[in-house]
């Protein structure tokens, strides 16, 4: 056989270790709003993969319950109370995590005002409700990133993952505060990635479809709406929290080192790329 025609396996051709490293083992992963729903599932799955999730939530009891679930399966996790609408509370959270673990490798900005939010015409949204959604869903994300960035910079490695929504491309009616807040995260991701790239910190955003969680919502989609949603997806089934786990772990791992400033749709093909 002519040796020059032999295709070399990646491990023989000088591909660096990180390019094939999809592991999140031992990573300290700070997940806001992880007391229930999507964040809870992410915390459980990251722990199962050997990471140490920090379950941060406004509802400390829920956060503690998630940690108890993880520890019952021999995983490691830490519960902490935070109000991402309050910069001082965010700083206390980051200081406590650093005191306990010495670093933060991944920040998943998952906390948001979502399940409790009702729909109404934008002209009828009370100003206080609008302001609260902006403070938590937009400011909270920026302030968490601002508090965590120096910790990541010190270690020359970090991942920040924001969570937008397919409500942005859909332009969901009677949900203007929510849609506006999630739109902002896409632009924030684009711009923040440019500022943190040289520090080894990648910033990306996930845009999930409608995810059925264990949580009752103020506005639950009707059976008909769910059927319409599924009919328009390429993949013909409803979305569940585990559907987000793979892409979250990939973006948290060394394998995604050259991916930053991106918004990735994870919605069964309901929408195509942004
Ligand atoms: P959820 O409403 O069930 O959970 C949100 C969590 O955030 C709760 O545990 C809540 O206590 C916490 N939280 C709220 N305000 C907070 C604050 N000020 N400080 C700290 N924690 C706070 O939502 P979910 O369905 O699990 O969604 C999680 C994220 O994904 C949200 O950002 C949501 O907008 C987004 N998202 C959800 C869906 C979906 O269909 N479930 C789709 C697209 C995007």
């Amino acid at each position: 056989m002519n040796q020059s025609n032999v295709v070399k396996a990646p491990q023989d051709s000088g591909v660096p270790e990180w390019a094939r490293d999809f592991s999140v083992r031992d990573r300290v992963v700070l997940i806001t709003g992880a007391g229930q729903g999507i964040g809870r599932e992410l915390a459980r799955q990251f722990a199962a993969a050997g990471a140490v999730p920090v379950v941060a939530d406004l509802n400390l009891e829920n956060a503690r319950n998630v940690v108890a679930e993880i520890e019952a399966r021999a995983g490691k996790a830490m519960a902490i109370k935070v109000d991402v609408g309050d910069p001082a509370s965010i700083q206390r959270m980051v200081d406590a995590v650093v005191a306990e673990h010495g670093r933060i490798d991944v920040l998943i900005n998952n906390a948001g005002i979502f399940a409790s939010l009702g729909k109404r015409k934008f002209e009828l949204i009370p100003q206080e409700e609008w302001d609260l959604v902006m403070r938590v869903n937009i400011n909270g994300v920026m302030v968490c990133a601002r508090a965590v960035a120096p910790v990541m910079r010190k270690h020359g490695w970090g991942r920040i993952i924001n969570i937008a929504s397919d409500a942005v491309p859909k332009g969901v009616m009677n949900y203007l505060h929510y849609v506006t807040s999630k739109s902002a995260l896409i632009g924030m991701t684009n711009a923040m990635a440019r500022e943190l790239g040289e520090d080894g910190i990648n910033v990306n955003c996930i845009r999930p479809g409608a995810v059925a969680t264990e949580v009752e919502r103020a506005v639950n989609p009707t059976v008909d709406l769910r059927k319409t949603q599924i009919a328009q997806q390429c993949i013909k089934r409803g979305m569940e929290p585990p559907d987000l786990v793979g892409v979250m772990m990939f973006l948290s791992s060394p394998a995604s080192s050259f991916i930053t400033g991106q918004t990735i749709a994870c919605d069964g093909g309901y929408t195509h790329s942004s």
Side-chain angles (χ1 to χ4, degrees):
M1 187 196 281
N2 178 351
Q3 288 299 314
S4 64
N5 289 337
V6 174
V7 177
K8 288 185 176 175
Q11 61 267 35
D12 298 324
S13 59
V15 174
E17 273 301 306
W18 59 260
R20 283 173 279 119
D21 184 355
F22 292 85
S23 170
V24 294
R25 179 159 291 280
D26 296 330
R27 297 276 178 208
V28 178
V29 183
L30 173 55
I31 311 172
T32 63
Q36 66 179 41
I38 290 172
R40 169 174 171 254
E41 179 68 6
L42 293 176
R44 296 192 310 180
Q45 299 282 351
F46 270 85
V52 184
V54 177
V55 181
D57 206 289
L58 194 55
N59 185 327
L60 182 59
E61 194 188 339
N62 279 357
R64 285 188 173 139
N65 288 340
V66 175
V67 169
E69 279 184 77
I70 289 170
E71 288 176 344
R73 293 188 179 92
K76 280 191 240 159
M78 172 183 179
I80 193 158
K81 184 178 167 97
V82 69
D83 176 359
V84 302
D86 172 8
S89 171
I90 290 173
Q91 194 57 53
R92 280 196 298 276
M93 166 184 72
V94 169
D95 292 346
V97 178
V98 173
E100 180 74 19
H101 295 293
R103 55 181 222 279
I104 297 169
D105 301 304
V106 180
L107 165 66
I108 301 181
N109 275 314
N110 168 77
I113 302 192
F114 173 65
S116 58
L117 206 57
K119 285 187 180 170
R120 49 185 142 197
K121 283 191 175 299
F122 80 91
E123 293 144 293
L124 300 178
I125 296 174
Q127 187 63 46
E128 312 78 64
E129 186 173 301
W130 177 276
D131 291 345
L132 182 65
V133 171
M134 300 308 145
R135 191 164 82 236
V136 171
N137 292 14
I138 304 179
N139 292 18
V141 169
M142 187 283 289
V143 178
C144 283
R146 189 174 68 191
V148 161
V151 182
M152 292 178 169
R153 192 176 286 124
K154 216 168 125 192
H155 292 89
W157 199 96
R159 299 284 195 264
I160 296 173
I161 306 172
N162 301 322
I163 304 195
S165 169
D166 73 344
V168 174
K170 281 181 190 163
V172 173
M173 269 177 78
N174 299 332
Y175 223 22
L176 198 71
H177 41 7
Y178 183 76
V179 176
T180 302
S181 70
K182 292 298 179 179
S183 306
L185 298 191
I186 295 173
M188 192 192 294
T189 300
N190 293 345
M192 198 183 282
R194 292 208 181 271
E195 295 196 28
L196 294 178
E198 288 199 26
D199 298 316
I201 303 169
N202 295 15
V203 187
N204 290 294
C205 185
I206 295 296
R207 216 185 60 201
V211 190
T213 72
E214 79 284 7
V215 179
E216 195 62 33
R217 295 199 202 150
V219 186
N220 262 315
T222 60
V223 175
D224 278 354
L225 209 68
R226 232 175 133 64
K227 272 194 191 151
T228 315
Q229 166 100 19
I230 292 170
Q232 290 178 28
Q233 290 172 195
C234 305
I235 298 168
K236 305 291 183 193
R237 65 166 175 80
M239 183 171 180
E240 311 279 345
D243 290 314
L244 286 165
V245 171
V247 70
M248 286 289 184
M249 286 196 184
F250 171 59
L251 290 179
S252 302
S253 76
S256 62
S257 290
F258 207 55
I259 299 176
T260 194
Q262 303 302 312
T263 292
I264 300 174
C266 179
D267 62 2
Y270 183 96
T271 57
H272 291 87
S273 62
S274 49

